[in-house]
Amino acid sequence: MSAKLRILVPVKRVIDYAIKPRVNKAGTSVETAGVKHSMNPFDELSVEEAVRIRERKKASVDDILAFSAGPAKSADVLRTAMAMGADRSMLLEHDPEKEGGELEPLAVAKVLKAIVEKENRNLVILGKQSIDDDSSQTGQMLAGLLGWSQATQASKVEFDGESVNVVREVDGGVETVKANLPMVITTDLRLNEPRYASLPNIMKAKKKEMKKITLQELGVDATKRLKTVKVAEPAPRKGGGKVEDVDGLIGKLKELGAI
Amino acid sequence: MFSAASRQALQSFRATNFPCLRIHQHCIYLSRSLSTLVILEQQEGKLNNASLSAVTAAQKLGGSVTGFVAGSNIKSIAEEIAKVDGLEKVISVENVAYDRGLPENFAPLLAQNIKDGGYTHVFAPSSAFGKNVMPRVAALLDVQQISDITEVQSEDTFVRTIYAGNAVLTVQSSDPIKILTVRGTSFAAAPIGNGSAAIEDGVDPKAEALTQWVSEDLTKSDRPDLATAGRVVSGGRGLKSKEEFDRVMVPLADALGAAIGASRAAVDSGFADNSLQVGQTGKNVAPELYLCAGISGAIQHLAGMKDSKVIAAINKDPEAPIFQVADVGLVGDLFDKVPELTEKLKK
């Protein structure tokens, strides 16, 4: 491919996927203090894919820039991204506790648009959703704001001359779409198997650049559009106990009117 | 009632002066003129069922509801949609360019029709199509979309789940246009009745599709659709291989007339197609019966099935978290229990 790839991989710090979140007593949010956080699993796939694109050498990669917006501790997920192979990173500090909740997807998309323009990016790879908010919007919004092609829920990305072929997970199977750069891709779980950062790479990542940036510098208005009325625990579901054998199972299902 | 012309004027006034929505004394006056557009999804001339759940969600608001559909040979689908009870109007755009729902041209199409129609609310299914296209529409209209809603509380307040269904968020929008995608399993499909909505041609901005659709590979099946099936049997890592999955789960599904689902572990191991994945990152199902075997019940899986009416689980690990939510659990080796169950159900 003649155009050199300048990749942006936005990553988000979220409560670790294996943790069962608890709603706080005030019913205003999920308890985050003292809870294990890590990189959003879909974003690990984005970083991995960016690094693999470089390794496969089908396309020439100029650089891979990781970005995160969130509390100061988001620096940790950027370090992880750099240990996996991102060249440098940018952090927009935004503390949800102090600033009335986290940035909404539309605001993040606007921030990313500003970064794309400032850093002259031509490929953005995002996770298809963050596992905390579950909105699944940012990539599509960014593509819309930029007027770029989008390929969401990608399970395969292949460079073919000037164009990119992307296999997308859709209802009922997969579809393949083809687009030219610049474009936005969002990752599906089946895209790849993210690598573990090795200790030497973690050490090297400490020397890589992490630039701090602010909303003001980017000139982005992040006024919230949504107000949280409340956050509640879902209606509990209690198990109905166990049966001894298959006949017991069938009997219980009949009793419950399920068969 | 307002004449059509004054309603039009009011709508465009509201679209440009949205802060008036927040002025309380005007609310009653304005709520009479809520006007909703529902995006209906079609694939190769067939209406997607999840779209009809979006119609039901839209009707919860009150106010007028208009359907929207685009693609080639769209007239027959538009006529089908016109029969849905409660729809006042159907807007159709005939153009082969919209057949594949490519967001680069579909989003400008929707944005234009939403602006021109002065709609206050837009509902779309939270399907792969809705997820792909609607956030792009929202960005074009500078609106913060609310995804995958499970409840409509009022014209600006909606309920959705976050953290893989482990918390329920009620959220209030201050946007002039509310863009919402609807969780299909939370709203019944609107019946295709005897309605006779007027069919009108929409505006076609003919935006360029930057992306080219190349091909698709859909899983062909005579089984009920997973997302809307009344019964689902689902297998997990415990099935061990694709051969065993097919040997054990398919006859059970046949015996029950059920759709087949799978956990992420089963999909990742290649036992089942990705489109069958149930969970936070797959499909949400809420059937009458969800019968699973060899699934431990990770929170990401529970997110996709815990609204099922009856949950039954077969697992050899008595401590598996699935038993905490199952209405009926059987501890045992699925390779013995599932075939036995299948045989006994056939009788």
Side-chain angles (χ1 to χ4, degrees):
Chain A
M1 170 165 264
S2 56
K4 281 204 158 193
L5 289 173
R6 297 174 300 277
I7 308 176
L8 174 64
V9 275
V11 295
K12 185 177 182 185
R13 178 179 177 269
V14 299
I15 292 181
D16 190 85
Y17 75 96
I19 309 273
K20 188 176 160 62
R22 305 267 171 219
V23 173
N24 66 8
K25 285 209 176 66
T28 52
S29 70
V30 158
E31 203 64 73
T32 53
V35 177
K36 184 187 176 196
H37 282 68
S38 43
M39 192 191 298
N40 180 40
F42 291 100
D43 303 342
E44 289 185 3
L45 297 155
S46 318
V47 178
E48 177 66 31
E49 194 62 20
V51 176
R52 286 190 191 191
I53 290 170
R54 169 150 58 201
E55 290 170 349
R56 283 199 296 259
K57 295 192 168 85
K58 278 282 183 68
S60 108
V61 174
D62 220 15
D63 82 326
I64 301 168
L65 169 63
F67 170 83
S68 194
K73 282 183 177 167
S74 303
D76 297 350
V77 296
L78 287 175
R79 293 269 172 233
T80 306
M82 291 191 290
M84 288 173 72
D87 300 299
R88 59 196 177 98
S89 64
M90 286 173 111
L91 172 63
L92 190 154
E93 268 189 47
H94 182 93
D95 189 340
E97 304 278 317
K98 292 182 194 132
E99 290 163 274
E102 67 177 33
L103 293 171
E104 292 169 351
L106 181 64
V108 176
K110 288 176 179 178
V111 164
L112 294 176
K113 175 175 186 272
I115 305 249
V116 161
E117 285 163 357
K118 203 178 161 81
E119 297 288 326
N120 189 24
R121 302 288 100 183
N122 57 4
L123 176 63
V124 188
I125 311 177
L126 306 89
K128 75 162 176 178
Q129 76 192 69
S130 68
I131 61 162
D132 50 0
D133 175 66
D134 284 337
S135 277
S136 197
Q137 299 174 358
T138 308
Q140 298 89 307
M141 287 181 154
L142 174 63
L145 294 176
L146 289 165
W148 288 8
S149 291
Q150 73 182 55
T152 54
Q153 299 191 217
S155 59
K156 198 172 185 184
V157 176
E158 280 181 331
F159 286 83
D160 172 19
E162 289 296 315
S163 61
V164 189
N165 283 306
V166 180
V167 178
R168 303 183 53 235
E169 300 288 342
V170 295
D171 297 337
V174 295
E175 71 174 20
T176 305
V177 295
K178 186 177 188 162
N180 290 332
L181 294 176
M183 75 181 297
V184 172
I185 295 172
T186 75
T187 59
D188 190 84
L189 279 169
R190 263 144 295 275
L191 182 60
N192 58 47
E193 190 87 28
R195 70 193 64 194
Y196 288 102
S198 65
L199 188 60
N201 285 339
I202 292 170
M203 300 312 286
K204 271 186 227 158
K206 291 187 176 172
K207 296 198 182 97
K208 289 183 178 176
E209 178 196 24
M210 187 186 300
K211 194 176 164 191
K212 298 231 171 114
I213 192 159
T214 64
L215 278 174
Q216 291 69 31
E217 274 171 68
L218 295 173
V220 172
D221 173 15
T223 310
K224 283 178 79 78
R225 311 297 182 82
L226 306 179
K227 188 178 119 195
T228 296
V229 177
K230 66 170 179 178
V231 177
E233 296 274 356
R237 184 165 187 132
K238 45 180 189 302
K242 291 175 186 139
V243 291
E244 286 301 311
D245 52 21
V246 169
D247 292 326
L249 181 69
I250 293 173
K252 190 79 188 284
L253 289 178
K254 282 190 175 148
E255 188 189 313
L256 294 166
I259 55 171
Chain B
M1 284 307 284
F2 304 108
S3 71
S6 70
R7 202 164 80 185
Q8 188 73 43
L10 180 65
Q11 281 169 352
S12 57
F13 170 76
R14 187 174 50 235
T16 48
N17 297 281
F18 67 88
C20 73
L21 272 179
R22 295 187 194 137
I23 300 171
H24 193 256
Q25 59 265 40
H26 285 194
C27 277
I28 300 160
Y29 168 64
L30 284 169
S31 65
R32 275 194 213 129
S33 52
L34 288 179
S35 136
T36 301
L37 189 69
V38 183
I39 315 304
L40 292 121
E41 179 185 355
Q42 61 95 16
Q43 279 140 350
E44 294 174 2
K46 281 182 90 176
L47 189 61
N48 170 300
N49 219 32
S51 308
L52 294 171
S53 299
V55 174
T56 304
Q59 287 168 344
K60 303 244 180 240
L61 272 183
S64 74
V65 182
T66 302
F68 181 95
V69 69
S72 58
N73 301 316
I74 210 68
K75 279 286 165 285
S76 65
I77 302 170
E79 279 162 19
E80 193 184 341
I81 296 167
K83 290 186 192 144
V84 175
D85 291 327
L87 282 188
E88 282 189 13
K89 198 161 76 175
V90 177
I91 293 178
S92 82
V93 174
E94 168 87 39
N95 188 337
V96 66
Y98 300 121
D99 271 352
R100 297 295 174 178
L102 291 170
E104 294 85 350
N105 62 354
F106 217 107
L109 167 75
L110 290 178
Q112 191 66 50
N113 281 279
I114 292 162
K115 269 192 253 177
D116 289 359
Y119 298 99
T120 54
H121 294 76
V122 181
F123 287 73
S126 184
S127 57
F129 162 82
K131 283 182 191 166
N132 195 21
V133 173
M134 296 315 292
R136 191 166 177 126
V137 176
L140 296 179
L141 296 171
D142 195 31
V143 167
Q144 176 53 56
Q145 171 180 310
I146 305 177
S147 294
D148 212 19
I149 61 163
T150 55
E151 196 185 323
V152 174
Q153 283 202 341
S154 73
E155 63 183 79
D156 63 2
T157 307
F158 305 90
V159 179
R160 58 185 297 266
T161 65
I162 52 175
Y163 289 92
N166 281 291
V168 182
L169 169 70
T170 306
V171 76
Q172 186 177 24
S173 166
S174 60
D175 277 321
I177 305 170
K178 276 62 164 174
I179 297 194
L180 310 139
T181 61
V182 174
R183 178 171 294 187
T185 55
S186 298
F187 300 89
I192 295 178
N194 301 309
S196 56
I199 300 173
E200 288 178 16
D201 287 334
V203 200
D204 189 352
K206 296 195 169 73
E208 192 188 347
L210 302 166
T211 300
Q212 189 192 335
W213 185 88
V214 178
S215 63
E216 71 184 358
D217 184 7
L218 301 183
T219 314
K220 297 267 181 293
S221 167
D222 298 330
R223 295 187 184 287
D225 174 51
L226 176 60
T228 52
R231 290 171 180 174
V232 173
V233 300
S234 197
R237 198 198 303 270
L239 269 306
K240 294 200 164 64
S241 70
K242 178 168 174 26
E243 291 67 34
E244 292 294 288
F245 192 99
D246 291 346
R247 187 180 68 81
V248 174
M249 298 308 289
V250 173
L252 177 63
D254 288 340
L256 283 165
I260 295 180
S263 70
R264 185 190 154 195
V267 169
D268 281 352
S269 308
F271 303 174
D273 190 82
N274 173 42
S275 59
L276 303 184
Q277 186 187 318
V278 172
Q280 182 188 20
T281 58
K283 288 214 169 52
N284 269 291
V285 300
E288 295 290 313
L289 171 64
Y290 187 83
L291 202 171
C292 59
I295 289 180
S296 64
I299 57 175
Q300 295 81 8
H301 187 77
L302 299 182
M305 46 64 85
K306 67 181 176 187
D307 293 327
S308 304
K309 196 146 176 254
V310 173
I311 297 172
I314 299 175
N315 202 301
K316 67 180 176 192
D317 174 11
E319 303 302 319
I322 191 74
F323 289 124
Q324 291 164 21
V325 300
D327 298 287
V328 47
L330 175 61
V331 179
D333 185 346
L334 70 90
F335 293 107
D336 298 332
K337 302 299 179 189
V338 175
E340 185 188 343
L341 175 64
T342 306
E343 282 313 306
K344 287 183 170 163
L345 284 170
K346 279 192 204 159
K347 284 176 192 157

